[in-house]
Amino acid sequence: MGLLTIGAFAKASRLSPKALRLYDELGLLTPARVDPVTGYRLYDPEQLEGARLVRWLRHLGMPLARVQHVCALEAGEAAREVRAYWDRVEADTAARRDLASFLVGHLSGKEPTMPSNPKTPQTPQTPQTPHPLGIRYAALSDAGLVREQNQDTAYAGSRLLAVADGYGSAGAPASAAAVDALKRLETDGVPTGDLLNLLADAVEEARQAVVEAPGVADEAGTTLTAMLWTGSQLALVHIGDSRGYLLRDGELFQITHDHTVVQSMVDEGRITAAEAESHPQRSLLARALGRGADGTTDVRLHDARRQDRYLLCSDGLSTVVPDDEIHGVLSDVDAPARAVRELVALANGSGGPDNISCVVADVVELRV
């Protein structure tokens, strides 16, 4: 069989002539021959298999740059790359599903459920209690044993709980600016029907505050994990690799997802969780508050239950202290102030290689 015209090849591959011309310009699907007089593109029938692969990958929504990469691989490696891409899509879809659940509940006036992350508990109906609920809390930040400066900021108040972990030459003012921008939530009213907009505005103010903080350059920024107490629920805002945990009915759940390059590699199936623990780039952030950074935050709403205990912490705790030891302190130590001291002591007992910040908050009945 001779060469196919662009029209015949388009029909056989189910790619439009316009798409074929684009893929030629990108070097993704180069014609076998171009007529020197007319400039007409001609294709070899053996190129059909590659063209169909391009079409299928585009139907998956894969970006052209990654399509080009996959098409250059051997079949087995290409299959692994497609699996990694789809794992990433499913992880992103799960995050958007959480936000959609939040929005449905918010707009319908119903309490949204917590996300279906396997590390996160499903929230049953909050049992009715004879007394209103409140929180008791404590915060502590420590420089650790290696770093000369503490770039973390930890805060706990009657409505706001927050941990921010600054990075770069001006990490300390960056983390302080982010938390300070949220402190107005302590005094402002929290209208239930406007909670989502309130959080979005507060996070944007925090991002702007970080960018404008004195001495903050392009390489500086901060993580932020914060919770806002509304009287019956805790609204969570999260970006970066600081973490949120929930101790409920004796079981510890991580309720945030790390926004790091290495965690993305785990999500895509490129490396295992065990390999991630010792990966040299495990602290490289994929999202953060800072100039030029991806500032997309995760937002969730958690129904409060009496005797729930929440922990917010910087990675100075979570990367050096195993979850079972964190669980032990949160389970055995009653007072939040003592709990944060013991968690910091555990991190320093493991070498204290980074700044350590912890906030512990208990949901309790208010006696009136």
Side-chain angles (χ1 to χ4, degrees), residues 34-284:
V34 178
D35 189 287
V37 177
T38 64
Y40 214 62
R41 294 169 173 85
L42 301 170
Y43 294 83
D44 192 307
E46 292 185 358
Q47 292 181 278
L48 282 171
E49 183 176 353
R52 288 166 180 155
L53 176 59
V54 170
R55 178 171 61 86
W56 292 330
L57 293 175
R58 291 297 287 156
H59 280 183
L60 284 179
M62 186 177 288
L64 282 170
R66 194 159 185 174
V67 170
Q68 191 168 19
H69 173 65
V70 171
C71 289
L73 300 174
E74 296 294 333
E77 186 62 28
R80 286 189 286 273
E81 187 69 13
V82 172
R83 167 50 58 191
Y85 169 76
W86 193 247
D87 286 345
R88 178 70 261 169
V89 170
E90 289 184 329
D92 290 342
T93 300
R96 289 194 296 270
R97 183 173 59 243
D98 292 344
L99 179 56
S101 175
F102 185 107
L103 286 167
V104 168
H106 171 72
L107 294 171
S108 64
K110 298 177 181 178
E111 291 184 349
T113 59
M114 289 170 68
S116 56
N117 186 314
K119 292 183 178 180
T120 306
Q122 296 299 302
T123 304
Q125 289 291 329
T126 303
Q128 296 296 318
T129 60
H131 303 282
L133 297 176
I135 54 173
R136 60 174 185 172
Y137 46 83
L140 183 63
S141 187
D142 187 85
L145 302 179
V146 175
R147 302 288 178 89
E148 293 182 359
Q149 182 185 24
N150 188 357
Q151 295 190 310
D152 285 2
T153 299
Y155 176 82
S158 60
R159 286 182 175 172
L160 178 68
L161 314 168
V163 164
D165 181 355
Y167 62 85
S169 60
S175 68
V179 174
D180 286 344
L182 298 185
K183 286 182 180 179
R184 69 171 180 82
L185 299 175
E186 283 277 66
T187 55
D188 290 356
V190 185
T192 303
D194 201 34
L195 179 59
L196 191 60
N197 291 331
L198 181 71
L199 290 172
D201 291 345
V203 171
E204 176 54 28
E205 289 175 14
R207 187 199 67 79
Q208 194 63 34
V210 169
V211 171
E212 296 175 355
V216 171
D218 289 346
E219 94 293 352
T222 186
T223 71
L224 177 65
T225 302
M227 301 192 84
L228 178 64
W229 173 247
T230 69
S232 61
Q233 297 172 316
L234 280 157
L236 170 71
V237 175
H238 168 69
I239 185 168
D241 63 351
S242 295
R243 287 185 177 178
Y245 292 89
L246 167 62
L247 181 70
R248 172 172 289 178
D249 296 331
E251 191 170 358
L252 185 67
F253 302 93
Q254 183 181 330
I255 57 174
T256 55
H257 190 72
D258 293 347
H259 298 146
T260 62
V261 172
V262 168
Q263 183 60 52
S264 296
M265 294 168 68
V266 174
D267 295 339
E268 293 178 354
R270 295 173 182 269
I271 61 174
T272 65
E275 291 171 332
E277 292 178 1
S278 58
H279 197 283
Q281 294 182 315
R282 62 186 178 276
S283 297
L284 187 60

